Amino acid sequence: MEESLNFQVNHQTFTATCNLGSSLLTLLRQVGWLGVHRVCDSGDCGGCTVWVNDLPVHSCIYPAMRIANQIVTTIEGLSVDDELTPMQQAFLQAQGFQCGFCTPGMIMSATKLSYSSEQELRLALKGNLCRCTGYQAIIESILLSSGSLDVTEQDAYNQQRIVGQNIPKQDGTAIVTGKASYTADFVPPGLLHLKVLRSPHPHARIRKIHTEIAKALPGVVAIFTHEDVPRIAYTTAGHAEPVPDPLDHYLLDCKVRFVGDRVAAVVAQSIAIAEQACQLIEVDYEILPHVLDPIAAMNDDVTIIHDESESSQIPDRNRNIAGQIFLESGDIEKGFAQADLILENTYHLPAVQHVHLEPHVTISWLEADGTLVVRSSTQVPFHCQRLLCQIFDLPQEKVRVYKTQLGGGFGNKQEILSEDICAFATLYTGKPVQWEFTRDEEFTATNSRHAMTIKIKSGVKRDGTFVAQEIEVIGNTGAYGNHGQTVVFLSGYIPLGLYRCSNKRFKGFAVYTNTMPAGAFRGYGATQGTFAIESQINEIAKKLSIDPIEIRLKNIICPGEIINLGQPSADHFNLIGSYAVRECFEKVIQSLGYIPGTPPLVEGSRYRGVGFAVSMQGSGLCKIHVASAKLSFLRNGKYELRTGSVDVGTGSDTTLRQIAAEVLGVEVTDINIISGDTKETPFDAGSYASATLYISGQAVKLAAEKLIDNFRNEPSGCQHKINEEDLLSVEVSYAADAATLTFAVQGVEVEVDIETGKIEVLRCVQAIDIGKAINPRICYGQATGGIAMGIGYALTEELLFDEQGRITNPNLRNYRIPTAADMPPMEVFLVEQADPYGPFGAKGVGEITTNCTAPAIANAVVHAIGARLYQLPMTPERVWRQLHK
């Protein structure tokens, strides 16, 4: 039943019809106010905040019927005559955003907040979530708007240099005014909507699907099952060819392998009709045995999850092994025989969710010439294009994939999860089709960080010298093997590479289970491995009565050493370029006032302690990750930069322009950028592996230098002949010979209440061996956001499964990411020592900032209360139980 409403939005009068039960969010987007973003549909994140009669409300749970004859203000209605409000100006000046998807709601809420202290402000902001920033810049923005903070010195920079300066993010004004265009903010004429029926069973074979009743529902355009689509095995992982992953995924299959797996797809005239049709589909399942534990799955000769013959690149399907690694250097038995102390520990790391606020969404349509166009929230448009061409047997020039503004990704959008079926629906119907995931689907049917069991055995001499290290990793890759082998590889390769030791062994297994797939996630396995090694090192230090920082500095790798575990030196994957690890330790020690041997501080039931951890991460993928850049001098005297790289909120569209501007001797505003479009830009492998600045940035630098050389090589006295298009244009492709290493040192102070087990992080200090900060403020934002993600990993975040493998906390209310109130004061030091391999000496910073937060917190907890936790997250219950063992 529909009703007609009269109402005002941003001083404009509207009359619109909506269904009973529709939300204000849906109605506002229906009438064109797209600055209101759909995130949770449950009132838990604040991303859709608007004002009704000047009062903030979460529009996703506010009934549309209630705004009859009312006045609504959205982010687009704040600025009058393009003049920003003080709050918008403050967010722009202090850069209180990264991807910007939460920013409209954040500004709408912040403008109406009352507070008398920063702590009150943080508590008042708990209803608005951000996954990118760590809230530090958001709090600074709000305080700045009230005159409580002065950032003029922070904003001052030398006009003679562009690299190394806090150039504002060039998409900032669009973000703070709600004009930034995200994937779903486009509605082509005749748009159809796609929804997927998902499996209620963890493992079953489909005998028969009955779609007759669903097809008869008015408004249903098409229904697809496994019988209607091409049967081509592929991986959803966005990797370069030759892909290292199992080819074990299908558009739709006759077998389901986890609760949430795809069964059938419905295309209809509206989302509601598509959802109703899914409910009308009847499926006859043959229930199969299922297995949830990867260790059990390796020894289960009955439950073979991928028994289909078409899948390939599976090392041992009969043991459910999707990937395996065996690497060894030296003589491990001899090393352990020489040790004065041998310590063995097992660590349990959970599956956690990315929680990027923008969901996966794809819109596809056909151009008049038959070109398939895919507008998607993707980190890897070129890999997506290649895969679609393979699945549908299309020439590359007939498939265009492009991204618009991205609302975060963190690796989860390095997957082809929504583009494949959406594109098929367009090819089948000839119509534009949109598929937008719900928040429930994000939690239950995308990817998680790999849950892992990590066993570490270390042999050490009395003076703390490592003589033998052995790591075994069993990673739960879930129902499909995307990223499994490569993530498990880095979970052992990074921690074994971090410290000098002549004798090393690594065994790793990515194991299929009947759970939601795991995939790429910020840190990419190094996060899990770092927690294990950095936790054990503190235990070793304690047993040997050596200070935990001293034992790290004694053993950590140094310049000139090559990370080549089990491989010839010539095949090294990473190397040390610039090296400022000791300076990083000094910064953290000084900031925390750390004195070795200082006992914990005790006040009643509250115990305070400090802890440290160090980590490393490679910058990009050497010899594999290719980036190209095209730079043109235009007839209007400006420049145009075309790059296939993808800005996922990290600010790369700004920093890449800074690099070009520095070489060309112009302002950043003199360079227009087109990025992430397979039709309009040259190839780039995409945004992952901390590669954008290090590899794409070097491509941009080389292109700018080549353009300058072209200017210099013109005949003397020659006047530029300006064409209608461009005057001079160059294109450069670049792949790094080796991935240089970034290092980070983390120090934390915690307080533990022994009566409740609750851990509170009081301070976080991180020093990053960054090479060169192209844009320091953007680097600070990456660090604070990474620390926040690490705090969530350490203390609160965990996907919970029932006995069927069904996720029991698939929403933002029960899966707790940190809020502004949970974040401690954070101090970040960017320790600069120019790297010889990166553009202007820069190294990757996107992933390194997350890796060492959780082990530093775990080590601080041990210092405070003496109890060591080997499982994350360190919830109050787990801490309390460990104390009382």
Side-chain angles (χ1 to χ4, degrees):
M1 178 180 175
E2 291 187 342
E3 285 199 14
S4 180
L5 298 174
N6 297 311
F7 53 95
Q8 275 192 27
V9 183
N10 301 331
H11 310 294
Q12 296 182 34
T13 300
F14 289 88
T15 299
T17 58
C18 68
N19 293 314
L20 289 173
S22 290
S23 67
L24 175 56
L25 168 62
T26 297
L27 180 61
L28 288 172
R29 291 185 65 84
Q30 177 184 317
V31 296
W33 299 106
L34 303 178
V36 188
H37 294 153
R38 187 181 302 279
V39 179
C40 67
D41 275 333
S42 57
D44 293 322
C45 73
C48 64
T49 302
V50 300
W51 303 342
V52 176
N53 296 334
D54 230 27
L55 293 175
V57 302
H58 289 183
S59 62
C60 70
I61 56 172
Y62 194 92
M65 294 301 178
R66 289 179 59 183
I67 66 159
N69 304 314
Q70 306 298 311
I71 298 173
V72 179
T73 306
T74 74
I75 186 72
E76 295 99 326
L78 285 192
S79 54
V80 180
D81 297 327
D82 293 328
E83 185 171 335
L84 301 182
T85 66
M87 186 64 73
Q88 289 171 310
Q89 290 173 345
F91 266 75
L92 198 57
Q93 187 175 350
Q95 201 163 291
F97 54 87
Q98 284 184 33
C99 80
F101 206 72
C102 72
T103 306
M106 197 74 71
I107 289 175
M108 298 300 288
S109 294
T111 303
K112 296 295 184 180
L113 291 180
S114 298
Y115 56 92
S116 58
S117 67
E118 182 177 326
Q119 186 57 31
E120 281 191 13
L121 170 59
R122 288 180 177 274
L123 287 169
L125 207 60
K126 282 184 71 173
N128 287 77
L129 298 180
C130 174
R131 192 57 156 171
C132 297
T133 64
Y135 303 98
Q136 187 89 349
I138 291 172
I139 296 299
E140 291 173 359
S141 299
I142 299 171
L143 293 175
L144 177 63
S145 75
S146 64
S148 306
L149 184 72
D150 182 10
V151 296
T152 23
E153 285 188 18
Q154 179 182 335
D155 282 346
Y157 60 88
N158 180 356
Q159 296 288 346
Q160 301 304 311
R161 293 296 302 258
I162 301 298
V163 162
Q165 306 305 323
N166 292 325
I167 305 295
K169 278 187 67 181
Q170 299 298 286
D171 55 3
T173 301
I175 285 173
V176 302
T177 56
K179 295 177 181 176
S181 180
Y182 296 85
T183 304
D185 298 342
F186 173 66
V187 183
L191 182 66
L192 302 175
H193 295 271
L194 187 147
K195 282 293 175 181
V196 162
L197 174 66
R198 297 190 179 275
S199 170
H201 304 294
H203 199 197
R205 206 173 300 279
I206 297 172
R207 292 194 186 103
K208 184 66 177 175
I209 302 180
H210 301 280
T211 61
E212 298 80 7
I213 297 175
K215 285 180 176 178
L217 184 69
V220 170
V221 176
I223 297 179
F224 312 120
T225 72
H226 64 272
E227 296 176 346
D228 306 307
V229 299
R231 185 164 179 79
I232 296 174
Y234 59 96
T235 174
T236 62
H239 276 145
E241 287 191 298
V243 295
D245 321 285
L247 304 180
D248 58 8
H249 198 275
Y250 303 86
L251 280 173
L252 294 166
D253 200 359
C254 56
K255 186 179 182 183
V256 291
R257 299 173 178 85
F258 71 100
V259 174
D261 209 350
R262 308 194 296 201
V263 175
V266 175
V267 181
Q269 293 173 355
S270 72
I271 294 173
I273 294 171
E275 289 175 337
Q276 185 181 355
C278 285
Q279 296 172 7
L280 295 174
I281 297 172
E282 297 180 3
V283 186
D284 180 13
Y285 293 102
E286 175 194 350
I287 307 301
L288 302 173
H290 69 277
V291 59
L292 307 180
D293 178 70
I295 296 175
M298 293 173 69
N299 300 298
D300 188 338
D301 57 2
V302 174
T303 308
I304 301 175
I305 295 171
H306 283 278
D307 55 354
E308 67 281 358
S309 60
E310 299 92 334
S311 293
S312 60
Q313 298 184 193
I314 301 174
D316 189 346
R317 69 177 71 227
N318 293 324
R319 295 182 61 216
N320 292 310
I321 295 175
Q324 56 189 15
I325 303 101
F326 300 96
L327 299 172
E328 187 169 356
S329 294
D331 187 330
I332 194 77
E333 283 75 20
K334 181 180 177 181
F336 281 120
Q338 295 171 345
D340 297 314
L341 169 70
I342 296 176
L343 187 63
E344 296 184 62
N345 300 110
T346 301
Y347 303 88
H348 303 280
L349 293 311
V352 296
Q353 233 288 323
H354 305 72
V355 196
H356 41 79
L357 296 192
E358 181 197 30
H360 286 81
V361 56
T362 295
I363 303 172
S364 55
W365 66 91
L366 293 172
E367 298 282 19
D369 65 355
T371 299
L372 172 66
V373 182
V374 178
R375 173 183 169 116
S376 181
S377 180
T378 178
Q379 296 174 224
V380 286
F382 283 89
H383 292 330
C384 180
Q385 178 199 40
R386 171 181 50 78
L387 181 61
L388 296 178
C389 289
Q390 290 173 357
I391 295 174
F392 304 121
D393 193 23
L394 295 171
Q396 183 175 306
E397 64 273 12
K398 284 298 184 180
V399 177
R400 175 193 178 194
V401 179
Y402 75 99
K403 62 87 189 173
T404 53
Q405 193 92 11
L406 254 71
F410 312 114
N412 206 15
K413 293 176 181 175
Q414 196 195 335
E415 300 281 346
I416 292 82
L417 297 180
S418 58
E419 298 89 347
D420 49 3
I421 295 184
C422 198
F424 177 79
T426 286
L427 292 170
Y428 183 90
T429 64
K431 303 289 186 181
V433 177
Q434 175 177 306
W435 187 15
E436 182 175 8
F437 282 22
T438 65
R439 186 54 50 181
D440 183 275
E441 286 178 305
E442 289 293 336
F443 274 107
T444 61
T446 59
N447 292 283
S448 68
R449 190 185 290 281
H450 284 73
M452 288 187 182
T453 299
I454 301 179
K455 297 179 181 179
I456 301 185
K457 179 181 178 182
S458 295
V460 193
K461 303 292 284 185
R462 286 187 183 88
D463 65 357
T465 302
F466 296 156
V467 291
Q469 286 182 303
E470 184 174 25
I471 294 182
E472 181 182 79
V473 175
I474 297 178
N476 186 348
T477 200
Y480 299 97
N482 45 303
H483 294 282
Q485 174 148 319
T486 45
V487 167
V488 168
F489 167 73
L490 285 183
S491 69
Y493 176 84
I494 291 293
L496 282 175
L498 183 59
Y499 294 102
R500 295 192 304 277
C501 182
S502 299
N503 309 295
K504 300 178 180 181
R505 179 187 290 158
F506 171 42
K507 293 190 294 183
F509 302 92
V511 185
Y512 288 124
T513 65
N514 294 115
T515 59
M516 181 180 75
F521 199 142
R522 190 181 201 168
Y524 206 80
T527 310
Q528 296 94 311
T530 298
F531 177 80
I533 193 72
E534 290 300 292
S535 296
Q536 190 187 68
I537 283 178
N538 264 50
E539 284 204 64
I540 292 170
K542 185 175 182 179
K543 288 182 181 294
L544 295 175
S545 300
I546 301 176
D547 179 71
I549 292 179
E550 180 186 339
I551 197 171
R552 286 178 169 85
L553 289 175
K554 181 180 182 66
N555 290 285
I556 200 163
I557 57 171
C558 295
E561 295 176 336
I562 293 175
I563 315 303
N564 62 328
L565 176 62
Q567 301 169 352
S569 297
D571 294 337
H572 60 79
F573 188 74
N574 293 109
L575 53 73
I576 298 173
S578 63
Y579 186 84
V581 175
R582 291 185 177 271
E583 292 89 335
C584 289
F585 271 107
E586 289 169 5
K587 292 284 188 184
V588 173
I589 290 168
Q590 183 179 8
S591 179
L592 284 175
Y594 174 70
I595 301 174
T598 302
L601 178 67
V602 181
E603 294 181 359
S605 65
R606 298 176 182 272
Y607 287 59
R608 289 191 180 187
V610 294
F612 302 90
V614 60
S615 64
M616 71 179 187
Q617 194 93 24
S619 298
L621 302 174
C622 68
K623 305 178 179 71
I624 299 172
H625 197 116
V626 177
S628 303
K630 182 179 181 181
L631 190 60
S632 304
F633 181 53
L634 304 178
R635 62 188 303 273
N636 60 4
K638 300 282 188 179
Y639 295 84
E640 180 182 81
L641 172 61
R642 293 178 181 248
T643 167
S645 65
V646 174
D647 189 336
V648 291
T650 56
S652 62
D653 279 358
T654 299
T655 53
L656 294 181
R657 275 186 275 192
Q658 283 183 253
I659 290 170
E662 179 78 13
V663 175
L664 297 170
V666 300
E667 297 294 323
V668 170
T669 51
D670 291 328
I671 302 174
N672 299 320
I673 191 168
I674 300 172
S675 61
D677 187 329
T678 63
K679 179 183 177 183
E680 301 295 337
T681 66
F683 177 85
D684 190 290
S687 176
Y688 58 93
S690 301
T692 304
L693 179 63
Y694 182 72
I695 296 178
S696 302
Q698 189 73 325
V700 169
K701 181 174 182 287
L702 293 172
E705 291 170 347
K706 187 173 180 181
L707 188 63
I708 289 289
D709 287 342
N710 285 0
F711 278 128
R712 289 173 180 158
N713 292 333
E714 286 191 337
S716 176
C718 175
Q719 296 295 317
H720 295 316
K721 295 181 179 179
I722 300 177
N723 302 320
E724 284 301 313
E725 296 179 358
D726 53 21
L727 174 64
L728 284 175
S729 181
V730 298
E731 185 172 329
V732 170
S733 293
Y734 174 76
D737 290 330
T740 195
L741 290 163
T742 304
F743 296 87
V745 175
Q746 179 84 53
V748 300
E749 182 182 10
V750 305
E751 183 175 83
V752 186
D753 189 330
I754 63 171
E755 291 183 352
T756 64
K758 182 181 179 182
I759 300 169
E760 182 180 358
V761 182
L762 302 177
R763 289 183 64 197
C764 267
V765 182
Q766 187 174 102
I768 309 170
D769 174 21
I770 199 169
K772 173 67 178 178
I774 301 295
N775 187 312
R777 186 194 291 165
I778 286 176
C779 295
Y780 281 118
Q782 286 291 285
T784 55
I787 291 169
M789 194 169 278
I791 289 175
Y793 191 48
L795 301 181
T796 61
E797 295 187 45
E798 180 178 17
L799 288 169
L800 302 174
F801 298 84
D802 66 13
E803 65 281 355
Q804 294 293 305
R806 183 180 293 104
I807 293 170
T808 60
N809 58 336
N811 53 66
L812 291 171
R813 187 163 301 182
N814 297 316
Y815 181 95
R816 284 200 56 235
I817 69 170
T819 69
D822 300 318
M823 293 307 300
M826 290 183 282
E827 193 171 8
V828 175
F829 295 99
L830 304 178
V831 182
E832 295 185 290
Q833 188 181 107
D835 185 83
Y837 306 103
F840 292 105
K843 299 192 284 190
V845 71
E847 296 174 282
I848 186 70
T849 57
T850 298
N851 293 347
C852 49
T853 304
I857 293 172
N859 291 335
V861 169
V862 175
H863 181 231
I865 62 174
R868 166 73 61 185
L869 278 84
Y870 298 89
Q871 181 177 6
L872 294 182
M874 295 176 284
T875 61
E877 179 182 359
R878 285 175 178 157
V879 174
W880 189 90
R881 290 185 181 278
Q882 190 68 17
L883 271 169
H884 289 78
K885 271 191 176 181

